[in-house]
Amino acid sequence: MNTCSSATSPALTGPDTPFAVVDVHRTRRNIARLRARAERLGVTLRPHVKTAKSLDAAALLHGGTPGPVTVSTLAEAEAFADAGHTDITYAVGIAPHRLPRVIALLRRGVTLRVLLDSTEQATFIAAAAREARTGLPALIEIDCDGHRGGLRPDAPGLPGIGRILHEAGCLDGVLTHAGESYSARTAGERRLAADEERDAAVSAAERLRAAGLPVRTVSVGSTPTAHAAEDLTGVTELRAGNYVFFDLVMAGLGVCALDDLALSVVVTVIGHRPEYGWIVTDGGWMAMSRDRGTAAQAQDQGYGLVTDLQGTLIPGLVMTAASQEHGTLTARDGGALPDLPIGTRLRILPNHACATAAQHHGYHVVDGSRDTGTPPAIEAFWPRVTGW
Amino acid sequence: MNTCSSATSPALTGPDTPFAVVDVHRTRRNIARLRARAERLGVTLRPHVKTAKSLDAAALLHGGTPGPVTVSTLAEAEAFADAGHTDITYAVGIAPHRLPRVIALLRRGVTLRVLLDSTEQATFIAAAAREARTGLPALIEIDCDGHRGGLRPDAPGLPGIGRILHEAGCLDGVLTHAGESYSARTAGERRLAADEERDAAVSAAERLRAAGLPVRTVSVGSTPTAHAAEDLTGVTELRAGNYVFFDLVMAGLGVCALDDLALSVVVTVIGHRPEYGWIVTDGGWMAMSRDRGTAAQAQDQGYGLVTDLQGTLIPGLVMTAASQEHGTLTARDGGALPDLPIGTRLRILPNHACATAAQHHGYHVVDGSRDTGTPPAIEAFWPRVTGW
């Protein structure tokens, strides 16, 4: 298991493959870039920690002290609360059976906001808050682009839901997520998606305020729109998660460069099929996930691009197939295969950092800015929060 | 976390969602079916434990005593050795850095066979066996259908590789896997794939024997071919893994019925978007995996079919989209959506049991044959072996 071998492994040649690697230099640079944007835009940055699910990575988000975060599971909320985080938004629609865990966190002094988009949810949140005699801050999810959950900003039921929450002392604000921005192909489309995301959230907030309901939080964000927004007037906070690591989908969109990708998976060459043009590795979908996010982009990157152990791209080499514990590398456009003997270690840059990271217990951490030779030194192991 | 809530949860209404469920009744029936086939065909059954990765599930494979197994990682081999298994085949091509872990298992008295398909690997296996003064049994991988690794049975290098192994006391036999049988669309095609799988392995074994090299093991298998084979003359053992749970891909192929699917994921309804025809659940790709194996079949089942908590299919309801912690259910062919209020628990039958199971720490176990009412009782928790 990765966790066992990590403590004593001095370099990327040490741990048994496959294993996940994070370049902390790139991670810091990605974090600094969005922090600077949020400061310039005058909004609070509330990173989504669902990508890394790592307390160590989260420690870099706000300059070393716990700051606002977004989570995708109560397991994350509980782990972050244990580590001293007190300002957490749980950005998945609340189910009634979860309220005891939510209330337990609130009673520990954590400001845990829940999400809802229905009268039914507002009603059980209000009832639970009254019964528990506690504040139970809630955000109404607004749908800005037909991607997933939420109420349209002009939905007839919006003020009524706001009122149910307000009368129980639970109304905190509104939240939207431009999930469709992952399909925006140009900077102009991303900018437009960011404007629409802002407009949806702000207009929903204004409708609630016009109904006499106080709205504190107006929360927007996705990694593509967070990097495209130029005017967030009326918005109080910005969310993004993937940006900490970035991935081939984000590079394909133009949100980042390949040189910004901070997550990769180290694999070992275990075979060759020259008659088919294949190099076989021990990194299959168990190590990379089944995510094929770039399949819908102009440049399909298969299951990932390939670098050497130092992180330098091997031009034209793509991971084109995966079974559980096998990956197949091929040369793009019929190019020549590089000479990579059995035992050679490579790194694979993933389609989707959130999905690939989820296949691992944690990350072996290297600092790409310090690499002076081969192989890169492992400086730390960052475990992941798992489960629900 | 699932593991924490399991001990005290009496029913599928207890643990927080999403979580994986195994119906042990169906599992036992699936196991008994292939055991009976293997007995009739006169071959040893060596199940692949990479699907369930569970010592508890493995205890059912051979009637309660440890029997031959196949593994996909050395973490599995070590966990199974710890539990008393002594006859293990590691069916992924061996990399040189793994030999110390292999030799450590051999020295514990485990017959751990490794796999190879090159002179390079045969050479380092032979050298390691000599240096360690231990038997290091090896199987030569044979390619029967161009799916992945292996040597074609007529490959010029085959006898030479066999000789390198034999001279170091390492030659155990040959192994092949008809991976392309997952694309076989009819019973006739699966039967043909089973014949080709057998012929490739047996002819490779005969070539080695004709060169004066002893071949003990002639190993074939995949879930589709294992259930189609009618004549395994010359074969000594049959492998299959997925059959323990089965899944929608296998049902789509006709290898099993929907009623045989033993693995599902319990999710909770968290929202409705009637304007789009969506029911939103808390089971996204983190719970189901990104596997979309049925997308290539005649009937695309999305991310899975939907049952009630008792396991009864809800006709026409399909999980058609997934984000990290959200699943979207839609009615097939524009049918009406069932009335499933927020908080309703459902079970999702997955495309690919191996991939979905890998997203969970383990399985809450129910016995479908005992269900007399609602909700099904949880009888056990089976943890999974994780990592590499």
Side-chain angles (χ1 to χ4, degrees):
Chain A
M1 308 237 310
N2 287 344
T3 43
C4 302
S5 56
S6 62
T8 55
S9 297
L12 293 187
T13 45
D16 206 344
T17 52
F19 63 92
V21 171
V22 164
D23 181 337
V24 70
H25 173 65
R26 293 182 177 189
T27 300
R28 285 203 182 96
R29 199 171 61 195
N30 297 338
I31 287 170
R33 177 180 167 202
L34 193 59
R35 278 189 80 186
R37 278 193 63 84
E39 280 175 23
R40 181 158 58 80
L41 291 162
V43 292
T44 298
L45 185 61
R46 180 183 293 281
H48 206 316
V49 298
K50 77 180 179 70
T51 303
K53 293 207 187 201
S54 155
L55 293 164
D56 302 287
L60 307 177
L61 293 172
H62 295 289
T65 52
V69 294
T70 313
V71 300
S72 68
T73 65
L74 288 182
E76 288 165 60
E78 289 159 352
F80 275 73
D82 289 348
H85 287 258
T86 58
D87 184 1
I88 304 175
T89 293
Y90 171 45
V92 175
I94 191 72
H97 75 265
R98 292 207 170 92
L99 288 174
R101 287 172 76 186
V102 170
I103 289 167
L105 283 164
L106 291 166
R107 288 192 168 139
R108 288 171 59 184
V110 176
T111 301
L112 180 72
R113 288 171 201 79
V114 299
L115 193 66
L116 75 152
D117 65 358
S118 68
T119 303
E120 199 174 349
Q121 288 164 305
T123 304
F124 69 63
I125 288 168
R130 287 191 176 103
E131 188 185 323
R133 298 173 187 276
T134 177
L136 209 164
L139 298 163
I140 303 175
E141 185 174 7
I142 303 301
D143 171 13
C144 64
D145 60 3
H147 177 69
R148 198 166 60 199
L151 292 160
R152 294 293 301 175
D154 59 357
L158 178 62
I161 290 171
R163 188 158 306 281
I164 295 168
L165 295 172
H166 173 59
E167 288 174 356
C170 297
L171 180 61
D172 185 80
V174 295
L175 176 149
T176 193
H177 167 63
E180 289 299 303
S181 68
Y182 284 67
S183 308
R185 288 167 187 268
T186 65
E189 285 178 22
R190 286 193 293 281
R191 172 74 190 280
L192 187 64
D195 288 349
E196 290 173 351
E197 191 180 45
R198 174 202 62 205
D199 291 347
V202 172
S203 68
E206 289 307 317
R207 274 190 73 207
L208 291 166
R209 288 176 182 137
L213 302 167
V215 174
R216 181 182 306 152
T217 299
V218 180
S219 179
V220 304
S222 73
T223 287
T225 54
H227 291 78
E230 290 296 338
D231 175 1
L232 291 181
T233 305
V235 165
T236 65
E237 67 173 32
L238 185 63
R239 304 180 328 280
N242 181 283
Y243 77 102
V244 169
F245 291 160
F246 284 128
D247 52 31
L248 291 173
V249 166
M250 287 299 140
L253 290 178
V255 177
C256 67
L258 285 176
D259 189 47
D260 294 324
L261 271 57
L263 177 72
S264 59
V265 176
V266 177
V267 304
T268 300
V269 173
I270 60 168
H272 301 91
R273 299 301 305 273
E275 65 275 41
Y276 297 123
W278 297 343
I279 295 170
V280 182
T281 78
D282 65 0
W285 55 251
M286 187 67 91
M288 297 304 298
S289 90
R290 272 289 196 198
D291 200 287
R292 288 279 291 102
T294 59
Q297 295 189 331
Q299 174 73 74
D300 184 344
Q301 308 285 28
Y303 281 92
L305 296 183
V306 186
T307 81
D308 63 18
L309 208 50
Q310 288 67 51
T312 305
L313 267 180
I314 300 177
L317 197 62
V318 184
M319 178 175 163
T320 44
S323 46
Q324 187 158 342
E325 300 290 352
H326 297 81
T328 304
L329 313 183
T330 60
R332 188 162 265 160
D333 303 325
L337 280 176
D339 181 29
L340 299 170
I342 287 173
T344 304
R345 291 188 173 213
L346 302 166
R347 286 159 73 175
I348 313 291
L349 300 173
N351 277 269
H352 187 175
C354 310
T356 299
Q359 302 297 108
H360 298 270
H361 292 299
Y363 317 97
H364 292 276
V365 179
V366 299
D367 183 337
S369 70
R370 286 195 212 167
D371 284 348
T372 51
T374 68
I378 294 172
E379 313 209 340
F381 182 81
W382 292 352
R384 274 176 59 89
V385 178
T386 61
W388 287 272
Chain B
M1 308 239 312
N2 287 344
T3 43
C4 303
S5 54
S6 62
T8 55
S9 297
L12 293 187
T13 45
D16 206 344
T17 53
F19 62 92
V21 171
V22 164
D23 182 338
V24 69
H25 173 65
R26 292 181 177 189
T27 301
R28 284 202 182 95
R29 198 172 62 194
N30 297 339
I31 287 170
R33 177 181 167 200
L34 193 59
R35 280 189 79 186
R37 280 193 61 84
E39 280 176 22
R40 181 158 58 79
L41 291 162
V43 292
T44 298
L45 185 60
R46 180 184 293 280
H48 206 316
V49 297
K50 77 179 178 71
T51 303
K53 293 207 187 202
S54 154
L55 293 162
D56 303 286
L60 307 177
L61 294 172
H62 296 289
T65 52
V69 294
T70 312
V71 299
S72 67
T73 64
L74 288 182
E76 289 165 60
E78 289 159 351
F80 275 73
D82 290 346
H85 287 258
T86 57
D87 183 1
I88 304 175
T89 294
Y90 171 45
V92 175
I94 191 73
H97 75 265
R98 293 207 170 90
L99 288 173
R101 287 173 75 185
V102 170
I103 289 167
L105 282 164
L106 292 165
R107 287 192 168 140
R108 289 172 58 184
V110 176
T111 302
L112 181 71
R113 289 172 201 78
V114 299
L115 193 66
L116 75 153
D117 65 358
S118 68
T119 303
E120 199 174 350
Q121 288 163 305
T123 303
F124 68 64
I125 289 169
R130 289 191 174 101
E131 188 185 323
R133 299 174 187 274
T134 178
L136 208 165
L139 298 163
I140 303 174
E141 185 173 8
I142 303 300
D143 171 14
C144 63
D145 60 2
H147 177 69
R148 197 166 60 199
L151 291 160
R152 294 292 302 177
D154 60 356
L158 179 62
I161 290 170
R163 188 158 306 282
I164 293 168
L165 294 172
H166 174 60
E167 289 174 354
C170 297
L171 180 61
D172 185 81
V174 295
L175 176 149
T176 193
H177 167 63
E180 290 298 304
S181 68
Y182 283 67
S183 308
R185 287 167 187 268
T186 66
E189 285 178 23
R190 286 193 294 281
R191 171 74 189 281
L192 188 64
D195 288 350
E196 290 173 351
E197 190 179 44
R198 173 203 63 206
D199 290 347
V202 171
S203 68
E206 289 308 317
R207 275 189 75 208
L208 291 165
R209 288 176 182 135
L213 302 167
V215 174
R216 181 183 305 153
T217 299
V218 181
S219 180
V220 304
S222 72
T223 287
T225 55
H227 291 79
E230 290 296 337
D231 176 0
L232 291 181
T233 304
V235 165
T236 66
E237 67 174 32
L238 185 62
R239 304 181 328 281
N242 182 283
Y243 77 102
V244 170
F245 290 159
F246 284 129
D247 53 30
L248 291 174
V249 166
M250 287 299 141
L253 290 177
V255 177
C256 67
L258 284 177
D259 190 48
D260 295 324
L261 272 56
L263 177 72
S264 59
V265 177
V266 177
V267 304
T268 300
V269 173
I270 59 168
H272 301 91
R273 300 300 305 271
E275 66 274 41
Y276 297 123
W278 297 344
I279 295 170
V280 182
T281 79
D282 65 1
W285 55 252
M286 187 67 90
M288 297 304 298
S289 90
R290 272 288 196 198
D291 200 287
R292 288 280 291 104
T294 60
Q297 295 189 331
Q299 175 72 73
D300 184 344
Q301 308 285 26
Y303 281 92
L305 296 183
V306 185
T307 81
D308 63 18
L309 208 51
Q310 288 68 51
T312 305
L313 266 181
I314 300 177
L317 198 61
V318 185
M319 178 176 162
T320 43
S323 46
Q324 187 158 341
E325 300 291 352
H326 297 81
T328 304
L329 313 182
T330 60
R332 187 163 264 159
D333 303 325
L337 279 176
D339 180 29
L340 299 170
I342 287 174
T344 304
R345 290 188 174 216
L346 302 166
R347 287 160 72 175
I348 313 292
L349 300 173
N351 277 270
H352 187 176
C354 310
T356 299
Q359 302 298 107
H360 297 270
H361 292 299
Y363 316 98
H364 291 277
V365 179
V366 299
D367 183 337
S369 70
R370 284 195 212 169
D371 284 348
T372 52
T374 67
I378 295 172
E379 313 210 339
F381 183 81
W382 292 351
R384 276 175 58 89
V385 178
T386 60
W388 288 272

